[in-house]
Amino acid sequence: MYRGRLWTMRQYAGFGTAAETNRRFRLLLDAGQTGLSVAFDLPTQMGLDSDSPRALGEVGRVGVAIDSVEDMHVLLDGIPLDTVSTSMTINATAATLLAMYIVVAEERGISRHRLSGTVQNDILKEYIARGTYIYPPEPSLALIADMFRFCAAEVPNWNPISISGYHIREAGATAVQELAFTFANAIEYVKRAMDAGQGIDTFAPRLSFFFAAHNDLFEEAAKFRAARRLYARLMRDRFGASDASARLRFHTQTGGVTLQAQQPLNNVVRVTVQALAAVLGGTQSLHTNGYDEALALPTAEAATLALRTQQIIANESGAALSADPLGGSYYVEHLTNTLERCALELIEKVDALGGAAAAISASFFQEDIARSAYEFQMRVERGESVIVGVNKYADDEPPPLITTPDYSELERDQRTRVAGVRAKRDASSVEVKLAALRSAAAPYAQRGGRRAPLVELIIDAVRARATVGEIADALRATWGEYRPA
């Protein structure tokens, strides 16, 4: 817990341009934030440059637009990369964004060994719950295994994946489903890395996880307690992992789906309860949502208040003074045992289907989560589950209006930036790097067999100023695109 040091306070931010996001990062660091967390816009997540016709109207809307390493330089301007840990919520294009981060550090004279942070890089939950996938599962999983290899050898303080229950929960899963499906995905990733010849203890100590914290204070705290115990047992019993490889290291975010547009100040209370549950459950890292996020990207005021919520819990509540402060409570121990048992039963159902990748193909995860989401919504509509200000204690006040940026102007500026990068670079060098990437990627489309390292070739392409979209297109040309059944 926190007798030695507090959890990392890592507020999530990404706004339109790299320059604007850099300003928000500086504000949060000045306010006492202890780690960065980057939100990317949808084109960046989907491997599309800002001047792609498919990106029209989406540039910068739900995060920062990053087209080339030049944008990454602006995003990280003035940030001491050798002392600040950075988390990047990016999946299908995770290898490219990590490559950009490494090249920025390299061009500043900072060794890879001094970098610390995380790329989410969890493609299985994209097929299950979120949807920002590009390639089919087989090459995607092979690329993730290659990132495990690369990070263990070259960026030892970097987490090559954040296996995410958060988005599974946001899609409507229960606490049990969140635990079970997250760990089922983890088992799949571990097996793929071991199939590629990696020893469990070479990569598993850097595996990290990402969970949601919802409103049921005791169930959520018990969920985190159960998660630690269940993960340790799975890693030891199934893979013979060491103590270091069996430790659950996780980030928590308060529940975005629980935020309401009606009476938005009520969200301050919801976020506080959820953050307290995460702290009581022993999270190592925490993001607290802004109260206005049901309406728009959070304002600076809301983001600062969200950070202050963490700081008050840390410094004024006493919750950080004792390890496992709820341990021994009859109710919490009962919940912990029940959550662990039910999650393991669900993991065994996934095992029977052939593992997470096969269960996704059979739509098992998707249908199970959809059923839970439907049942919850029916309870809300019947008034059995109370949401204050929505189905009880409601009023007729309209939601407040929040000013949003001029996205059309932002998009024009970003298109101009990416065109400028292309005009200045050595186009023939870029094509040579992309051709090498296409050639090396071909064996990744089939399970098994010998594969050349791929991450190093992506770094070479980034260094030559290839864009996110161009690198993604090189892999699309080789692997194709995923289409759900």
Side-chain angles (χ1 to χ4, degrees):
M1 303 292 268
Y2 315 111
R3 299 300 297 275
R5 67 184 179 99
L6 294 172
W7 61 92
T8 301
M9 299 181 191
R10 191 187 301 281
Q11 294 297 104
Y12 187 47
F15 295 86
T17 65
E20 183 63 28
T21 304
N22 178 265
R23 283 190 284 272
R24 177 60 63 89
F25 284 161
R26 288 168 176 269
L27 180 149
L28 289 167
L29 289 171
D30 289 345
Q33 176 173 299
T34 52
L36 299 181
S37 184
V38 188
F40 296 95
D41 71 354
L42 282 175
T44 304
Q45 294 181 53
M46 298 298 294
L48 302 170
D49 289 331
S50 294
D51 58 356
S52 167
R54 292 175 62 193
L56 186 65
E58 291 293 345
V59 175
R61 280 192 176 268
V62 298
V64 60
I66 299 293
D67 292 309
S68 74
V69 71
E70 300 299 345
D71 290 327
M72 188 67 85
H73 268 294
V74 174
L75 178 72
L76 301 172
D77 183 45
I79 306 295
L81 302 185
D82 50 350
T83 60
V84 171
S85 169
T86 303
S87 174
M88 296 191 282
T89 302
I90 196 73
N91 295 281
T93 54
T96 303
L97 273 298
L98 174 59
M100 289 182 174
Y101 197 91
I102 288 169
V103 170
V104 167
E106 175 184 283
E107 293 177 354
R108 290 191 194 173
I110 300 171
S111 165
R112 296 174 182 179
H113 282 68
R114 296 171 65 190
L115 301 178
S116 62
T118 305
V119 277
Q120 192 164 97
N121 197 27
D122 176 7
I123 203 64
L124 291 175
K125 69 93 175 50
E126 296 297 326
Y127 303 125
I128 293 169
R130 192 162 175 267
T132 63
Y133 45 73
I134 302 175
Y135 320 112
E138 195 56 49
S140 297
L141 289 166
L143 176 57
I144 289 169
D146 192 56
M147 288 184 69
F148 287 7
R149 171 203 60 81
F150 173 82
C151 288
E154 298 290 332
V155 203
N157 295 316
W158 197 273
N159 302 321
I161 195 167
S162 176
I163 305 165
S164 176
Y166 180 86
H167 303 95
I168 290 170
R169 191 67 179 276
E170 290 284 285
T174 64
V176 167
Q177 290 169 325
E178 180 186 3
L179 284 178
F181 295 162
T182 303
F183 289 144
N185 287 347
I187 290 166
E188 186 77 44
Y189 291 127
V190 169
K191 286 180 176 177
R192 296 300 180 120
M194 294 180 74
D195 287 349
Q198 300 174 50
I200 183 69
D201 293 326
T202 64
F203 66 88
R206 297 308 304 183
L207 299 181
S208 65
F209 290 79
F210 175 24
F211 292 109
H214 279 210
N215 289 328
D216 188 325
L217 178 73
F218 294 108
E219 182 179 65
E220 293 300 296
K223 180 186 74 180
F224 300 127
R225 299 175 83 246
R228 271 195 301 276
R229 196 163 69 190
L230 178 56
Y231 183 66
R233 287 175 174 166
L234 289 169
M235 293 297 282
R236 287 175 179 140
D237 294 349
R238 296 193 180 207
F239 303 110
S242 67
D243 283 352
S245 296
R247 292 188 186 117
L248 181 70
R249 301 162 52 252
F250 67 96
H251 171 74
T252 306
Q253 181 173 335
T254 56
V257 75
T258 70
L259 301 176
Q260 306 301 323
Q262 300 93 328
Q263 302 176 19
L265 285 175
N266 293 345
N267 295 327
V268 176
V269 183
R270 293 184 177 104
V271 168
T272 303
V273 171
Q274 294 164 10
L276 181 60
V279 169
L280 293 173
T283 191
Q284 286 94 40
S285 173
L286 180 61
H287 165 91
T288 33
N289 291 330
Y291 68 83
D292 53 2
E293 288 189 48
L295 302 166
L297 292 173
T299 60
E301 176 193 42
T304 302
L305 179 59
L307 177 59
R308 294 286 182 254
T309 302
Q310 293 199 50
Q311 292 166 337
I312 289 169
I313 292 172
N315 296 286
E316 298 184 27
S317 74
L321 297 179
S322 172
D324 194 18
L326 297 182
S329 157
Y330 170 80
Y331 182 51
V332 172
E333 296 294 353
H334 167 73
L335 284 173
T336 302
N337 292 336
T338 301
L339 286 163
E340 182 182 11
R341 184 184 71 254
C342 293
L344 184 56
E345 290 171 358
L346 196 47
I347 289 169
E348 289 169 350
K349 288 185 179 180
V350 177
D351 290 340
L353 291 169
I360 289 167
S361 181
S363 296
F364 173 74
F365 294 122
Q366 300 92 312
E367 291 177 5
D368 214 40
I369 294 168
R371 189 177 303 111
S372 294
Y374 176 78
E375 290 170 355
F376 173 76
Q377 187 60 34
M378 289 300 98
R379 290 195 300 274
V380 171
E381 295 191 14
R382 290 192 299 265
E384 296 167 6
S385 294
V386 172
I387 300 177
V388 173
V390 178
N391 66 353
K392 195 170 186 179
Y393 311 115
D395 57 33
D396 296 325
E397 291 295 318
L401 295 176
I402 296 178
T403 303
T404 58
D406 182 346
Y407 289 108
S408 58
E409 180 182 359
L410 183 156
E411 185 170 310
R412 286 194 298 272
D413 291 346
Q414 191 63 24
R415 291 165 69 93
T416 300
R417 279 186 59 79
V418 70
V421 169
R422 291 198 186 101
K424 292 178 182 177
R425 70 190 185 183
D426 182 339
S428 61
S429 174
V430 171
E431 183 47 45
V432 167
K433 305 300 184 188
L434 293 176
L437 182 59
R438 286 191 292 269
S439 176
Y444 282 67
Q446 302 296 324
R447 189 164 186 174
R450 294 180 59 83
R451 301 185 181 113
L454 209 58
V455 176
E456 288 86 344
L457 296 177
I458 294 173
I459 292 173
D460 288 345
V462 164
R463 196 181 287 120
R465 271 41 186 182
T467 65
V468 169
E470 289 165 342
I471 293 169
D473 284 346
L475 298 177
R476 280 189 186 96
T478 308
W479 295 340
E481 292 188 337
Y482 176 70
R483 291 289 182 267

